[in-house]
């Protein structure tokens, strides 16, 4: 293709160059990438994979495959890429096409082009303290039994152990019923007093919410009668869908009245209790069906996911887990729950590849899940197999990301040495805060990613497959440890003069060996003219 050539059709096929690498689609497959001519992968973007997804793929050769609609993409392992809209999608959007474009010659060229086509930046960004201070999610510590007393005890314990104040999140079950967003007054007798005390200590407070509605009580009946609940094909009764907390009805977020109702419920909590924002969880497109009856008859499951994520834009403090083409909206995004292991599939080894995948699908404001992993059993009945070194290395990776989030209390699950190392990681994040904030402000306007794979800044230099280093902005390279008992590691130094965190200079391009004791996060700053 020439620089201006594009090809649009419901179905396209591309020949892949032998040295061409691709990022995109679903973040949850990020650990498999980057994809190349010999890769085998089939993805249908109608299912967003329980995390972020965008309907474009971008290559190191400056090519982009994109559509406003979710499409099926296959790397066939034989040097071909196939992209097509399914018959089910075309039935809803008969004029839909997939487009292949040669946007330039580099990964950066391709990403800028695709993002501007699918999810251009809006100038919006989350609250500054979501970047400059740590976040503390109470899921692991309190599980389904949060109380006012326990929330305040956690906040005071953070201060007593020297951790920086930041954003506090009360997770699931602070309310009596899903869809009835009111505090359970047995567990939270005086929510306003709790919020006021947290504010006085230096914390903001966010609450967990979801798009599900318990199928009993007045709230369900009112939403049903107003036509705000999703209905399955051919039924006048709201759909009841199975999810991780049982079976519930679902909001139809293609209905403007439904969106207004939800925003009204959340703003009422802010007005009454001083709540700062909300963790907007679930919304996964797999909870919706292509033949559901929706207010918008052309709506796809991914449109529900998009609409739920967009609720975050109404609140400075927010977190969104599932998204589809929301990249330009400037939303705070978290990786889905990661296991407490070193695995490159869903453990520590997956954090950098998946965060890079977030960036290369347009999501700049990223958080690499709860430190140590969000799988709660590791911190309860499997505490005997907890790996303190993994916990620390996880914290060090998160410290050099746009956002970092603790959940399991380090002083509860770790000895003093490892707890202090986690504290040092939190302090490093605060130290990097002004730099991260400036990158966040720039990204709101330009759409430029904050975290990026080396290929983005150093194209065609042989770094496309480097998956254990990343750039934070264009001048700071981070090379954390992602494997167990690793106290010396190899680092790829790109072209230029780089000064590491120990003060040594390195002239690239070159490959070096560096000491990586558990107390160190190897970092390299590029000398600028």
């Amino acid at each position: 293709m020439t620089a201006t050539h594009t090809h649009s059709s419901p179905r396209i096929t591309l020949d892949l160059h032998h040295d061409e690498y691709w990022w995109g689609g679903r973040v949850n497959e990020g650990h498999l990438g980057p994809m190349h001519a010999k890769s085998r992968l089939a993805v249908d973007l109608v299912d967003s994979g329980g995390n972020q997804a965008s309907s474009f793929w971008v290559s190191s050769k400056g090519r982009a495959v994109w559509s406003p609609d979710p499409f099926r993409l296959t790397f066939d392992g034989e040097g071909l890429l196939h992209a097509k809209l399914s018959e089910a999608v075309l039935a809803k959007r008969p004029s839909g096409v997939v487009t292949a474009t040669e946007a330039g010659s580099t990964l950066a060229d391709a990403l800028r082009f695709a993002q501007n086509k699918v999810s251009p930046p809006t100038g919006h960004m989350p609250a500054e303290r979501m970047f400059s201070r740590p976040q503390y999610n109470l899921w692991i510590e309190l599980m389904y039994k949060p109380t006012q007393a326990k929330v305040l005890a956690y906040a005071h314990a953070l201060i007593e152990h020297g951790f920086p104040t930041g954003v506090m999140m009360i997770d699931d079950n602070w309310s009596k019923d899903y869809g009835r967003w009111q505090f359970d007054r047995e567990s939270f007798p005086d929510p306003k007093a709790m919020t006021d005390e947290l504010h006085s200590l230096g914390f903001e407070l966010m609450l967990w919410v979801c798009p599900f509605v318990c199928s009993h009580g007045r709230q369900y009946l009112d939403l049903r009668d107003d036509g705000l609940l999703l209905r399955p094909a051919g039924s006048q009764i709201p759909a009841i869908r199975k999810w991780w907390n049982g079976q519930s009805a679902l909001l139809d977020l293609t209905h403007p009245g439904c969106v207004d109702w939800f925003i009204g419920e959340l703003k009422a909590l802010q007005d009454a209790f001083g709540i700062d924002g909300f963790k907007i969880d679930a919304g996964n497109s797999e909870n919706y069906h292509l033949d559901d009856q929706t207010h918008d008859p052309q709506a796809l499951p991914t449109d529900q996911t998009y609409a739920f994520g967009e609720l975050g834009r109404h609140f400075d403090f927010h977190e969104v887990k599932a998204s589809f083409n929301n990249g330009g909206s400037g939303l705070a995004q978290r990786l889905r729950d990661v296991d407490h292991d070193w695995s490159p599939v869903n453990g520590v080894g997956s954090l950098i590849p998946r965060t890079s995948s977030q960036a290369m699908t347009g999501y700049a404001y990223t958080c690499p899940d709860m430190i140590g992993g969000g799988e709660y059993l590791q911190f309860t009945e499997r505490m005997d197999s907890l790996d303190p070194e993994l916990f620390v290395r996880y914290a060090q990776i998160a410290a050099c990301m746009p956002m970092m989030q603790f959940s399991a209390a380090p002083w509860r699950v770790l000895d003093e040495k490892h707890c202090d190392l986690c504290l040092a990681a939190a302090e490093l994040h605060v130290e990097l805060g002004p730099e991260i904030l400036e990158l966040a402000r720039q990204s709101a306007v330009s759409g430029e990613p904050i975290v990026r794979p080396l290929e983005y800044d150093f194209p065609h230099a042989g770094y496309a497959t480097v998956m254990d280093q990343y750039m934070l902005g264009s001048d700071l390279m981070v090379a954390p440890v992602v494997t167990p008992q690793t106290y010396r590691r190899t680092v790829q130094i790109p072209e230029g003069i780089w000064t590491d965190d120990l003060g040594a200079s390195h002239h690239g391009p070159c490959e070096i060996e560096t000491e990586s004791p558990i107390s160190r996060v190897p970092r390299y700053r590029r000398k600028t003219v």
Side-chain angles (χ1 to χ4, degrees):
M1 289 189 278
T2 67
T4 58
H5 180 71
T6 65
H7 173 61
S8 297
S9 172
R11 179 194 301 261
I12 61 174
T13 295
L14 295 183
D15 289 310
L16 301 179
H17 305 304
H18 76 279
D19 56 349
E20 182 177 25
Y21 295 89
W22 291 78
W23 288 258
R26 299 194 300 201
V27 166
N28 203 40
E29 273 91 33
H31 64 283
L32 301 174
M35 310 309 292
H36 50 83
K38 295 184 179 180
S39 296
R40 290 188 179 275
L41 179 70
V43 174
D44 189 340
L45 293 175
V46 166
D47 177 354
S48 61
N51 215 183
Q52 298 87 35
S54 291
S55 56
F56 62 78
W57 289 75
V58 290
S59 95
S60 60
K61 296 290 188 181
R63 297 200 287 179
V65 175
W66 58 279
S67 173
D69 303 317
F71 59 90
R72 293 178 177 175
L73 183 134
T74 303
F75 292 90
D76 69 359
E78 303 296 331
L80 295 177
L81 178 157
H82 307 277
K84 67 176 182 177
L85 294 174
S86 68
E87 293 302 319
V89 170
L90 287 169
K92 295 255 186 177
R93 313 271 176 83
S95 61
V97 295
V98 183
T99 300
T101 303
E102 186 164 327
S105 61
T106 69
L107 179 60
D109 292 335
L111 178 61
R112 292 185 190 108
F113 175 87
Q115 186 165 357
N116 281 321
K117 287 293 185 181
V118 174
S119 54
T122 61
H124 179 80
M125 65 177 281
E128 291 187 353
R129 276 176 63 89
M130 295 199 71
F131 301 99
S132 62
R133 311 290 287 188
Q135 302 168 12
Y136 302 100
N137 184 294
L138 290 164
W139 167 244
I140 297 294
E141 290 303 296
L142 305 186
M143 297 288 295
Y144 290 106
K145 298 179 180 179
T147 68
Q148 181 169 331
K150 291 177 182 177
V151 170
L152 292 173
Y154 187 95
H156 282 281
L158 282 166
I159 294 171
E160 289 166 8
H161 287 88
F163 279 78
T165 58
V167 182
M168 186 79 70
M169 300 181 187
I170 302 177
D171 215 279
D172 197 352
N173 219 35
W174 58 271
S175 62
K176 274 191 174 292
D177 293 319
Y178 303 125
R180 186 169 177 261
W181 301 115
Q182 299 175 14
F183 276 99
D184 181 341
R185 288 308 183 96
E186 292 182 9
S187 300
F188 295 89
D190 192 345
K192 182 64 164 60
M194 174 186 67
T195 308
D196 288 345
E197 184 170 347
L198 288 171
H199 286 166
S200 72
L201 294 172
F203 294 94
E204 289 80 24
L205 180 62
M206 294 169 58
L207 300 177
W208 179 95
V209 295
C210 67
F212 292 97
V213 178
C214 289
S215 57
H216 61 265
R218 188 73 253 170
Q219 192 73 74
Y220 168 82
L221 296 175
D222 289 345
L223 291 168
R224 180 199 65 185
D225 294 346
D226 289 341
L228 304 186
L229 297 177
L230 195 71
R231 290 180 294 140
S235 175
Q236 296 303 310
I237 301 172
I240 302 297
R241 297 275 158 82
K242 184 177 180 181
W243 63 301
W244 66 74
N245 278 340
Q247 299 185 65
S248 306
L250 267 168
L251 298 173
D252 178 6
L253 290 156
T254 72
H255 195 308
C258 185
V259 173
D260 290 344
W261 171 82
F262 203 111
I263 293 171
E265 292 287 297
L266 303 189
K267 287 192 178 292
L269 286 164
Q270 290 190 306
D271 293 341
F273 307 116
I275 305 302
D276 296 288
F278 300 94
K279 173 180 175 178
I280 298 169
D281 203 359
N284 305 356
S285 64
E286 60 264 34
N287 293 318
Y288 307 91
H289 298 167
L290 277 162
D291 61 355
D292 283 335
Q293 297 181 77
T294 54
H295 178 76
D296 177 358
Q298 288 190 310
L300 301 169
T302 47
D303 294 314
Q304 300 280 1
T305 299
Y306 172 84
F308 193 53
E310 287 295 290
L311 293 173
R313 293 183 60 188
H314 295 271
F315 308 96
D316 290 339
F317 289 88
H318 64 266
E319 175 189 285
V320 178
K321 193 191 76 170
S323 293
F324 183 79
N325 286 350
N326 299 91
S329 299
L331 301 173
Q333 308 277 349
R334 179 178 64 85
L335 284 180
R336 65 181 295 173
D337 293 359
V338 173
D339 296 330
H340 183 87
D341 61 38
W342 295 94
S343 166
V345 176
N346 197 49
V348 170
S350 71
L351 295 178
I352 297 174
R354 286 186 179 170
T355 303
S356 295
S357 181
Q358 285 177 315
M360 295 301 103
T361 45
Y363 298 99
Y365 302 141
T366 57
C367 181
D369 194 28
M370 306 168 195
I371 290 166
E375 203 283 289
Y376 69 90
L377 291 176
Q378 185 63 60
F379 301 98
T380 53
E381 58 193 62
R382 294 206 293 265
M383 275 291 293
D384 57 341
S385 61
L386 182 76
D387 186 340
E389 182 181 315
L390 181 151
F391 200 102
V392 170
R393 295 301 198 189
Y394 199 129
Q396 291 171 345
I397 295 168
C400 302
M401 292 285 187
M403 291 176 274
M404 75 180 307
Q405 186 176 119
F406 288 95
S407 189
W411 57 88
R412 178 177 71 85
V413 301
L414 301 174
D415 57 33
E416 183 176 359
K417 170 190 171 183
H418 291 93
C419 182
D420 286 346
L421 289 168
C422 287
L423 173 57
E427 291 171 338
L428 173 59
H429 184 73
V430 173
E431 178 186 328
L432 291 171
E435 184 173 355
I436 293 171
L437 265 178
E438 182 54 33
L439 292 169
R441 294 187 190 107
Q442 293 172 10
S443 180
V445 177
S446 69
E448 197 89 354
I450 298 174
V451 169
R452 34 319 248 283
L454 269 61
E455 179 68 26
Y456 186 90
D457 288 285
F458 306 97
H460 315 310
Y463 301 129
T465 59
V466 175
M467 305 295 280
D468 60 353
Q469 299 174 216
Y470 60 92
M471 298 297 297
L472 183 66
S474 59
D475 296 319
L476 181 61
M477 184 174 67
V478 187
V481 171
V482 297
T483 51
Q485 299 180 354
T486 302
Y487 310 115
R488 187 174 180 83
R489 63 153 297 168
T490 301
V491 178
Q492 303 296 327
I493 304 292
E495 183 178 5
I497 301 174
W498 301 76
T499 302
D500 68 25
D501 52 293
L502 303 177
S505 292
H506 307 274
H507 293 249
C510 64
E511 180 179 287
I512 65 169
E513 292 289 319
T514 190
E515 299 296 326
S516 55
I518 194 170
S519 59
R520 184 184 177 210
V521 192
R523 304 181 302 284
Y524 303 81
R525 189 170 295 280
R526 179 162 53 167
K527 181 179 179 180
T528 56
V529 178

